[in-house]
């Protein structure tokens, strides 16, 4: 066999191999683009037989490309600039249907032809297009959901504002009324009912808002340093009272020495513990509620155990879902507490767990990292006992303290003005930012309490402007808002922020933190019960009462001094009255004077 014959046999073998390849293999002349070889794949691919194909050029099967375009495309190969090229293009079948293909080109320099390996990519393209459509659709769905979510958040923020504003008035006034000694038991009970109902409504609003904040990823854990034992004692005291009212025993057990102060999100930790303890009391009809705290190596474990109705095993997971309630008789609540608590504990890097035996009771527990904090003077004191009726300045120069209160809604202002004036502060009121700034410059208050949503100049701008005033360098600023995303207040240069409705106890606590004062607490044994002493006439008492109601301490003292001088027989009365004025015990003073009207 000569060389030629061997070469032919080799060529045949090569072509046969190429025929077995499913892809299409083309060879075409580098100048004319005439096809000089096609494998079997090409005939299947394009519908022409081999003979027809070998009389065609690349342009015949590539209806969308011109010779010039193909030449330009292939130049990097002929100029040896690139070893190979890939192109996505379209081939036309003999029956005129179009086929999407991917072609891989190489240049064979010695023979001056191109070899192209072509693959049908119609299916791949269809899949890609579908994928693209699916992604687009998913993006659209996501976008619509995001818009809906934003709308929901905005709606909730508005509703929250609208609901909290009147609640602020209701709870504010019930807090003030509760302090009034003149009320009958029946009236006090009614006020207590209004207060409880208002608080219940507030819990519902807060729960729904918390959940939506968690969903929107806008709830943050904000750690602060606080006294740990006082914090726990406060919770235990409150819960013990509720448990006792229901005839249950409340056990508060600390199983390891606790650090004095710790760093954590005090508000959220309290929320979780109150929720678990309230549930324990709610779902227990007799027996014991145990609140156990175990502290070890910077970690704390809280355990809340009850001897209540228990939870069926099949519900142990689902009780943590939003709005889920097992459906006991007369059940109250929203079914949100556990869902929120679980997520809050997770945000504190813990896990809320439960174990329960139907008919015997349940135990909820979680462990979290709780770093010890340094004990410093101005740590938040969570609890103060007794009713505050006045204050004594510990720094004689600045008393009585002046407070500027800004809120567009008069109901919100009025209960705070009432409270603060009764305690002996001088209070200025404004309902918009502009008026507030003028009043601040004119009266140089010690404290400014402003809502963030006020007309003309909002709370943010007002705070900024006040902070730039040299004469108000020392002023203490508290901001308040009924909006849910109060975190924004962290960006503002204020000393404290209060979510509305304002808890007056916390507000007073904060005033004591920043102002040089000591509270005067109600003296339970105040001698005002003593009605045997000789008192003023009805007219004299009425005049004095008016002055007390107006809260003008100076005028009250002048008036009492006058009575003392003109009517020596009133000495006992005037001494008692002066004692009450000095202690800023205004509501006691009112009660005392009313005895003579
Ligand atoms: P709510 O108390 O507002 O109904 P929660 O989310 O706090 O909502 O609780 C969900 C449900 O889990 C309750 O309705 C109750 O059925 C069940 N549950 C929670 N705590 C206890 C408990 N200590 N004992 C028995 N059942 C409980």
């Amino acid at each position: 066999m000569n060389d030629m014959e061997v070469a032919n046999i080799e060529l045949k073998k090569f072509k046969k191999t190429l025929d077995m390849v499913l892809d299409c293999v083309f060879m075409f002349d580098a100048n004319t683009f005439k096809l000089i070889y096609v494998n079997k794949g090409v005939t299947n691919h394009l519908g022409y037989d081999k003979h027809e194909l070998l009389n065609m050029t690349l342009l015949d099967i590539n209806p969308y490309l011109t010779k010039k375009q193909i030449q330009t495309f292939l130049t990097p190969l002929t100029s040896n600039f690139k070893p190979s090229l890939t192109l996505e293009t379209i081939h036309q079948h003999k029956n005129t249907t179009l086929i999407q293909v991917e072609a891989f080109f190489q240049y064979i320099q010695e023979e001056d032809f191109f070899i192209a390996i072509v693959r049908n990519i119609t299916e791949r393209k269809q899949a890609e297009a579908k994928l693209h459509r699916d992604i687009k659709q998913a993006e659209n769905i996501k976008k619509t959901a995001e818009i809906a979510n934003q709308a929901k958040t905005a709606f909730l923020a508005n509703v929250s504002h609208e609901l909290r504003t009147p609640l602020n008035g209701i709870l504010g006034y019930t807090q003030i009324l509760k302090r009034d000694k003149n009320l009958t038991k029946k009236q006090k009970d009614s006020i207590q009912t209004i207060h409880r109902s208002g608080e219940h409504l507030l819990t519902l609003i807060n729960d729904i808002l918390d959940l939506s904040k968690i969903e929107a990823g806008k709830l943050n854990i904000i750690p602060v340093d606080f006294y740990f034992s006082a914090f726990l004692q406060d919770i235990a005291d409150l819960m013990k009272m509720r448990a006792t009212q229901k005839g249950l025993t409340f056990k508060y057990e600390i199983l390891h020495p606790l650090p004095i102060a710790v760093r954590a999100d005090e508000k959220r930790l309290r929320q979780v513990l109150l929720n678990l303890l309230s549930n324990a009391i709610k779902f227990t009809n007799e027996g014991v509620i145990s609140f156990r705290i175990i502290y070890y190596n910077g970690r704390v474990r809280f355990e809340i155990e009850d001897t209540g109705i228990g939870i069926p095993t099949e519900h142990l997971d689902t009780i943590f879902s939003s709005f889920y309630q097992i459906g006991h008789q007369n059940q109250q609540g929203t079914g949100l507490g556990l869902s929120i608590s679980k997520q809050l504990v997770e945000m504190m890097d813990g896990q809320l767990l439960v174990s329960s035996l139907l008919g015997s009771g349940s135990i909820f527990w979680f462990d979290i990292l709780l770093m010890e904090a340094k004990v410093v003077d101005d740590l938040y004191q969570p609890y103060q006992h007794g009713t505050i009726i006045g204050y004594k300045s510990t720094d004689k120069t600045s008393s009585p303290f002046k407070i500027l209160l800004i809120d567009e809604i008069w109901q919100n202002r009025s209960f705070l003005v009432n409270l603060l004036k009764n305690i002996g502060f001088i209070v200025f009121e404004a309902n918009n930012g502009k008026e507030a700034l003028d009043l601040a410059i004119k009266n140089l208050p010690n404290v400014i309490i402003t809502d963030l949503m006020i007309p003309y100049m909002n709370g943010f701008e007002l705070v900024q402007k006040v902070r730039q005033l040299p004469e108000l360098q020392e002023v203490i600023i508290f901001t308040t808002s009924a909006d849910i995303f109060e975190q924004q207040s962290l960006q503002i240069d204020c000393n404290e922020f209060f979510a509305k409705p304002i808890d007056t106890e916390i507000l007073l606590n904060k005033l004591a933190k920043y102002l040089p004062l000591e509270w005067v607490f109600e003296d339970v044994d105040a001698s005002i019960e003593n009605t045997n002493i000789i008192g003023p006439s009805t007219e004299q008492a009425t005049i004095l009462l008016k002055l007390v109601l107006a809260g003008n301490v100076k005028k009250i003292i002048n008036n009492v001094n006058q009575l003392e001088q003109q009517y020596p027989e009133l000495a006992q009365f005037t001494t008692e009255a002066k004692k009450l004025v000095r202690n800023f015990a205004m509501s006691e003073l009112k009660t005392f004077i009313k005895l003579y009207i």
Side-chain angles (χ1 to χ4, degrees):
M1 228 188 302
N2 61 27
D3 284 354
M4 187 67 173
E5 282 167 344
V6 173
N8 266 334
I9 291 172
E10 285 303 313
L11 188 63
K12 256 194 180 155
K13 265 197 211 161
F14 174 67
K15 286 183 174 173
K16 210 168 180 170
T17 315
L18 283 181
D19 276 345
M20 285 160 70
V21 176
L22 283 178
D23 289 329
C24 313
V25 183
F26 293 80
M27 290 177 198
F28 56 94
D29 185 88
N31 300 306
T32 59
F33 295 160
K34 190 172 176 314
L35 301 180
I36 52 177
Y37 170 77
V38 289
N39 75 344
K40 219 181 186 142
V42 179
T43 55
N44 294 337
H45 169 63
L46 292 174
Y48 297 102
D49 63 28
K50 256 189 189 171
H51 181 70
E52 287 172 306
L53 284 164
L54 293 178
N55 280 315
M56 292 163 73
T57 72
L58 200 58
L59 294 168
D60 298 323
I61 56 173
N62 250 310
Y64 294 113
L65 288 179
T66 61
K67 188 167 186 188
K68 186 125 198 168
Q69 281 171 326
I70 296 177
Q71 266 166 347
T72 314
F73 173 74
L74 293 173
T75 308
L77 293 183
T78 45
S79 58
N80 268 337
F81 186 63
K82 278 189 173 174
S84 65
L85 283 172
T86 307
L87 173 73
E88 276 188 16
T89 180
I90 289 173
H91 280 177
Q92 190 169 38
H93 192 272
K94 190 175 179 183
N95 66 13
T96 73
T97 53
L98 299 174
I99 309 157
Q100 279 184 299
V101 296
E102 181 186 67
F104 170 83
F105 295 90
Q106 269 190 327
Y107 178 54
I108 312 292
Q109 199 168 16
E110 302 81 54
E111 313 290 333
D112 197 24
F113 68 81
F114 289 101
I115 181 160
I117 298 170
V118 173
R119 179 169 293 176
N120 185 334
I121 56 167
T122 312
E123 271 177 25
R124 194 182 90 196
K125 282 282 156 194
Q126 277 168 354
E128 276 174 11
K130 184 170 180 309
L131 190 68
H132 187 72
R133 272 200 311 277
D134 288 352
I135 290 173
K136 253 267 100 67
Q137 202 175 2
E139 274 170 3
N140 284 341
I141 291 173
K142 195 168 154 231
K143 230 185 232 157
T144 319
E146 267 166 16
I147 292 171
N149 219 0
Q150 275 166 9
K152 187 178 98 182
T153 308
F155 169 76
L156 283 171
N158 282 336
V159 167
S160 144
H161 189 259
E162 294 309 308
L163 289 173
R164 279 171 186 237
T165 302
L167 259 185
N168 197 38
I170 295 171
L171 291 179
Y173 268 106
T174 50
Q175 287 180 83
I176 286 184
L177 285 170
K178 276 199 303 191
R179 301 157 64 94
D180 194 332
K181 280 257 147 45
N182 297 336
L183 299 176
T184 63
K185 175 153 186 335
K186 204 169 154 213
Q187 285 169 326
K188 273 195 175 150
D189 287 349
S190 309
I191 288 165
Q192 191 55 32
T193 309
I194 300 173
H195 191 77
R196 264 205 309 272
S197 310
E199 278 188 331
H200 185 63
L201 192 54
L202 184 64
T203 315
L204 294 188
I205 299 168
N206 285 344
D207 277 358
I208 293 174
L209 291 176
D210 276 350
L211 200 72
S212 86
K213 273 199 242 178
I214 292 174
E215 275 177 8
K218 288 195 173 162
L219 192 138
N220 298 322
I221 291 292
I222 306 170
V224 292
D225 294 347
F226 60 97
Y227 285 118
F228 195 35
S229 303
F231 162 84
L232 292 171
Q233 190 67 50
D234 177 17
I235 294 174
D237 283 349
L238 182 71
M239 288 297 140
K240 186 173 179 170
M241 198 173 72
R242 284 211 210 150
T244 316
Q245 275 168 0
K246 217 182 156 185
L248 304 170
T249 308
F250 189 87
K251 277 202 207 155
Y252 171 43
E253 300 165 302
I254 296 170
L255 300 186
H256 226 275
L258 300 178
I260 300 176
V262 292
R263 184 164 183 76
D265 189 329
E266 188 255 353
K267 180 177 158 194
R268 297 300 175 185
L269 187 57
R270 176 195 303 265
Q271 183 177 353
V272 173
L273 292 173
L274 286 181
N275 177 251
L276 297 177
L277 285 163
S278 306
N279 276 349
I281 296 171
K282 187 157 66 172
F283 298 108
T284 304
N285 297 321
E286 57 184 34
V288 188
I289 309 294
S290 305
F291 180 27
R292 275 190 292 272
I293 298 102
I294 308 145
Y295 189 84
Y296 54 95
N297 284 344
R299 286 193 80 81
V300 67
R301 168 182 284 219
F302 296 99
E303 290 181 2
I304 291 100
E305 187 170 6
D306 64 59
T307 54
I309 57 173
I311 303 160
T313 317
E314 66 272 23
H315 291 292
L316 280 177
D317 284 336
T318 36
I319 50 166
F320 292 105
S321 314
S322 305
F323 300 106
Y324 192 86
Q325 297 181 308
I326 297 175
H328 314 285
Q329 266 188 338
N330 303 327
Q331 185 164 350
Q332 286 184 335
T334 52
L336 288 176
L338 280 183
S339 161
I340 294 169
S341 296
K342 180 175 185 290
Q343 299 187 63
L344 287 177
V345 171
E346 281 165 12
M347 289 171 85
M348 297 179 205
D349 286 330
Q351 201 186 354
L352 179 56
L353 298 163
V354 59
S355 147
S356 183
L357 198 62
L358 197 60
S360 298
S362 317
I363 171 161
F364 285 82
W365 75 95
F366 64 95
D367 283 36
I368 52 167
L369 202 70
L370 204 63
M371 296 314 287
E372 201 166 339
K374 261 220 203 100
V375 183
V376 282
D377 277 352
D378 71 343
L379 270 194
Y380 171 50
Q381 290 268 13
Y383 203 55
Q384 288 273 17
H385 292 274
T387 309
I388 295 169
I389 50 168
Y391 66 87
K392 278 191 214 135
S393 164
T394 50
D395 155 14
K396 295 277 175 292
T397 50
S398 42
S399 174
F401 298 108
K402 291 179 274 182
I403 298 180
L404 171 60
L405 191 68
I406 308 125
D407 199 309
E408 189 190 5
I409 297 157
W410 72 266
Q411 291 96 322
N412 288 345
R413 287 197 315 270
S414 94
F415 92 85
L416 273 184
V417 170
N418 231 307
L419 172 87
L420 295 169
K421 275 192 176 166
N422 268 343
I423 292 176
F425 291 102
I426 298 172
V427 187
F428 306 100
E429 295 177 59
N431 63 15
N432 66 63
K434 236 172 87 209
E435 196 188 329
L437 196 63
D438 291 345
L439 278 177
I441 295 168
K442 197 167 142 217
N443 298 297
L444 303 180
N446 304 88
V447 182
I448 294 178
I449 305 175
T450 182
D451 188 75
L452 291 175
M453 294 232 283
I454 46 173
Y456 298 123
M457 183 196 299
N458 67 33
F460 295 90
E461 290 170 61
L462 175 67
V463 172
Q464 231 178 17
K465 290 231 157 79
V466 168
R467 286 288 187 226
Q468 282 161 9
L469 295 172
E471 62 269 44
L472 281 168
Q473 282 298 297
E474 304 278 291
V475 72
I476 294 142
I477 303 182
F478 294 169
T479 53
T480 68
S481 174
D483 273 349
I484 49 165
F485 296 122
E486 66 253 27
Q487 268 96 340
Q488 55 176 307
S489 65
L490 294 176
Q491 296 148 14
I492 183 170
D493 185 13
C494 66
N495 300 75
E496 296 289 342
F497 170 81
F498 301 104
K500 279 184 177 172
I502 296 171
D503 184 324
T504 50
E505 205 168 286
I506 295 178
L507 174 73
L508 295 179
N509 233 315
K510 295 290 181 188
L511 282 173
K513 175 177 163 183
Y514 291 98
L515 291 174
L517 60 74
E518 261 172 25
W519 294 126
V520 176
F521 291 96
E522 178 183 45
D523 179 4
V524 193
D525 305 320
S527 53
I528 55 167
E529 301 297 325
N530 187 354
T531 51
N532 294 332
I533 53 179
I534 303 166
S537 67
T538 311
E539 287 81 358
Q540 287 166 338
T542 311
I543 294 170
L544 189 54
L545 184 66
K546 271 192 188 154
L547 296 177
V548 175
L549 290 173
N552 191 326
V553 178
K554 216 165 151 193
K555 282 192 183 161
I556 301 169
I557 291 177
N558 282 344
N559 184 288
V560 175
N561 282 341
Q562 256 178 17
L563 288 177
E564 195 175 41
Q565 281 162 18
Q566 289 174 9
Y567 309 96
E569 69 277 23
L570 297 182
Q572 244 186 312
F573 171 83
T574 50
T575 312
E576 186 59 41
K578 278 206 266 184
K579 196 172 110 195
L580 292 171
V581 179
R582 268 199 306 276
N583 286 337
F584 294 98
M586 292 305 164
S587 69
E588 274 82 350
L589 183 59
K590 268 188 277 176
T591 316
F592 184 40
I593 298 167
K594 277 184 185 165
L595 295 174
Y596 303 95
I597 295 178

